[in-house]
Structures are given as structure tokens and as C-alpha cells.
Amino acid sequence: AGAVVNTEDDVLHLAKLPGDLGAAPKESPRLTNASDASQKRAARRLLELKVAALAGQSAALPPRDVERLLCSLTAPYLRLPLALRFFADARRVRALRDARLRGCVEAVLFEPGPWLPDRPAKDVNEIPAPHRDHLRTPAGSLFNELALSPGPAVEALTRILDLALETDVGAWAPRGAAECVLFAVRTASRAATFLA
């Protein structure tokens, strides 16, 4: 958990990605000592096999999508709509069968975040802001999002629910489509209570 990440390239070569959403390649894809063409082909094939294994059953999301999700989680005010839109995709909604990703979405939606007391917030007069008081909310980020700009969040939640229902094949299986459908229904109904 103490790995330093300075660039995108550093993220690709971590042993474990933050949040343990999947493993990243352990060796650098750069070929430094491979002077022979056959060695280069063998090394490239090995890298392709590693990347294919990452996108397979061992990880819920391919490394590119993990990086995109992590980037969207770093934007404090845009985190909620970006994370919802990320999963409002026919391919990515299936990844919600993974309990770690469901926990991530629930944390983005339902964790209250910094609380805004009754006193007025400080004005922001310069960019970047010297403080983050303007990012505080009196009732949580989901309530704030639904009160001030409900369109993107509601559309993404509706799309996730529709896509999850489309994955249902009518039979229950462990870690199957039922996990995704139940999560989508539970999340949509919990979010709807904020609108009531």
C-alpha cells in the first residue's frame, strides 16, 4: 500500500492496484535486452498472455478500465457522476458482480463526505482554491447531486438498472447476473429515497 504513483506508467507496473481491483503486470513491457527477433516475439507473446489473464477471470475489469475508474475517483466533485457513467456501459455493468466494485460504487454514492455546517461557506476567489470548503455538503454528495443536477445521476442509475436487467438469463448462479441485478435494484431504490 506504500507504492508511490507519479505517472500513468507507474500505475501499470504496480504489483497490486489501489483498492485491489486487479493485478497489474509485474514486469515492464519494455524490451531492453532482447536483441534477437525471436526473443522479442517470445517476450511480446508473454506480455500478451499476461494482459489477457488480467482481463480474464482473475480481474473484474481490464487494466485500462481500472485506471479510468481510479482517475474518476480522484475528482472530488465529479466523482459521483463519473463513476455512475463509467458503469452505465453494457460491458462494464457485468463487472458489478464483483463485491469490491459494488462496495466502491456504494461508497461513492452513499458516504456522506465532508459536512457543511449551517454557517455560510467561504467564497472561492482564486483557482486552484486554497481550501476545499466549497466541496462540503449539508446532507451528502448524492443528495447534493440530486438536488442541484439530478439529470446525469438519474440517467446513469436508470441505464445501469436497464443494463443489469438485460444480463439476467432467468437462472440463478453464484457470481452470476443475479448479483448485478440485485445490486442495481438495491442501489436505484436507495437513491430514489433521496428524491422522496
Side-chain angles (χ1 to χ4, degrees):
V4 177
V5 176
N6 294 324
T7 66
E8 294 173 357
D9 206 31
D10 294 337
V11 171
L12 292 175
H13 304 297
L14 290 176
K16 290 271 188 184
L17 293 175
D20 194 25
L21 297 176
K26 292 182 181 174
E27 298 174 13
S28 175
R30 297 182 189 100
L31 302 172
T32 55
N33 297 345
S35 58
D36 188 54
S38 63
Q39 284 181 325
K40 287 182 181 181
R41 278 194 301 272
R44 188 174 355 159
R45 182 68 184 140
L46 181 64
L47 178 64
E48 288 172 2
L49 289 173
K50 286 181 181 180
V51 171
L54 285 173
Q57 296 178 359
S58 64
L61 291 170
R64 180 178 179 184
D65 285 349
V66 171
E67 183 178 355
R68 186 174 293 164
L69 178 61
L70 289 173
C71 287
S72 68
L73 294 177
T74 61
Y77 200 73
L78 298 173
R79 179 180 302 135
L80 193 144
L82 288 176
L84 287 177
R85 177 148 312 162
F86 176 83
F87 286 106
D89 177 72
R91 187 172 34 88
R92 292 185 193 128
V93 77
R94 287 180 169 82
L96 290 174
R97 292 180 288 186
D98 190 318
R100 297 170 297 178
L101 291 174
R102 291 194 308 265
C104 177
V105 173
E106 286 181 335
V108 167
L109 288 175
F110 302 114
E111 284 185 0
W115 179 68
L116 178 68
D118 274 343
R119 65 178 187 272
K122 298 176 186 175
D123 290 337
V124 176
N125 296 324
E126 53 187 277
I127 297 176
H131 55 80
R132 291 185 165 231
D133 290 345
H134 60 285
L135 298 177
R136 297 174 178 227
T137 63
S141 57
L142 179 61
F143 185 80
N144 190 56
E145 192 72 27
L146 293 174
L148 300 177
S149 179
V154 171
E155 286 174 19
L157 281 169
T158 304
R159 178 99 170 115
I160 290 171
L161 185 58
D162 290 341
L163 291 170
L165 291 172
E166 286 177 12
T167 65
D168 185 26
V169 293
W172 183 85
R175 290 190 43 87
E179 295 280 341
C180 184
V181 172
L182 290 172
F183 174 75
V185 170
R186 185 174 58 245
T187 303
S189 63
R190 284 177 69 189
T193 61
F194 281 78
L195 292 170

